[in-house]
Each structure stands twice: as structure tokens, then as C-alpha cells.
Amino acid sequence: MILSDAIASWKSGEKEKAVEQFVAIRWNDPAVFANIPCMNLSENRFMALPRDEQSQISTEGIELWSSLKPLVRQVLSNGDRALASGDKAAAKLHYQAAVHLGKALSSPETLQLTQLYGKAVVVWAQEKMATVK
């Protein structure tokens, strides 16, 4: 499972399937960001590209974030629902998936804006994780 699978399901309206796919991602797999060029590009490499390629990647990035942000919110929300129903294991699974995404996005091998979002996701998901006792 890779991130683009979950995003494709999200975009097609299959919200719960997208969340299940997101939670099932093996975040340490080097192919996790396969098929998402803007996630495989450092700031230096981006700046070295011609303007037209920078523009294309920026457009792709904006489209990606318009799906990824609500997907992450839904993953965390599903974790909240699991916790409220007493399923701590499912809650942790959802929160940990978000932490893994955030850490992957925080890599110095990603664009600075991606790193910032990744750091925010880590903090947000870790705060949720701390509520699981």
C-alpha cells in the first residue's frame, strides 16, 4: 500500500476505504510516495528545476494537499471515534499512522512547506496519542 492509493480512494469518494488504506501503509517502505513527484523532491532540487517544471510541481502539490489534509483529519477523527468507543488499539493505530506520515513529510529530502506540514501533523497526532491511556 502506498499513499497515492489512499489519496485516489479519497478523491473518488471512498472515504472509509481511503482511511483503511492510509492506516495500512508501510511508512518505512521507500515507495510510500511513489507516483507523487512533489513528495520526492528536496527544496534544492526543486529550485534547480526550470520555472515551468516548478510551476507544474507546485500545481500538483496544491492538488495533493487539497486531498491529503482532509484525509489526515479523517484518519485522526476515526481514531477519536475508536477511542470514544473504548477501542484503544484502533485509536493508536490511526494516530500512529498520522505520526508516521508526519515524520515522513518532515524529512529534509522534501520541500520546506511539506516539512512544515509534516511537523504539524506529528504534533497534532502525538497530542491525540497522549490521550490514549
Side-chain angles (χ1 to χ4, degrees):
M1 191 62 51
I2 58 177
L3 184 59
S4 60
D5 295 335
I7 291 171
S9 293
W10 184 266
K11 285 181 179 180
S12 70
E14 298 175 275
K15 308 295 187 197
E16 287 306 310
K17 179 179 178 182
V19 169
E20 289 173 17
Q21 290 172 319
F22 184 94
V23 171
I25 292 172
R26 292 186 182 151
W27 295 100
N28 59 349
D29 183 343
V32 74
F33 296 130
N35 305 323
I36 309 175
C38 65
M39 299 296 267
N40 294 299
L41 195 60
S42 69
E43 192 72 24
N44 289 338
R45 286 182 46 217
F46 176 77
M47 296 307 289
L49 294 173
R51 287 261 189 235
D52 61 330
E53 287 183 47
Q54 288 180 2
S55 178
Q56 178 183 354
I57 288 172
S58 294
T59 300
E60 291 170 2
I62 291 167
E63 183 179 314
L64 169 70
W65 294 114
S66 71
S67 298
L68 188 57
K69 285 180 180 180
L71 173 55
V72 170
R73 280 193 299 268
Q74 187 64 49
V75 167
L76 293 173
S77 178
N78 283 20
D80 292 345
R81 281 200 305 277
L83 185 59
S85 73
D87 190 346
K88 293 178 183 179
K92 283 183 181 181
L93 191 64
H94 285 78
Y95 299 154
Q96 285 173 338
V99 168
H100 289 302
L101 169 71
K103 287 182 178 181
L105 296 179
S106 299
S107 164
E109 294 304 313
T110 61
L111 296 171
Q112 287 179 349
L113 186 59
T114 302
Q115 292 175 36
L116 291 173
Y117 179 68
K119 290 173 185 177
V121 169
V122 168
V123 169
W124 190 17
Q126 286 179 334
E127 286 174 356
K128 298 246 182 218
M129 193 72 128
T131 67
V132 181
K133 298 182 174 137

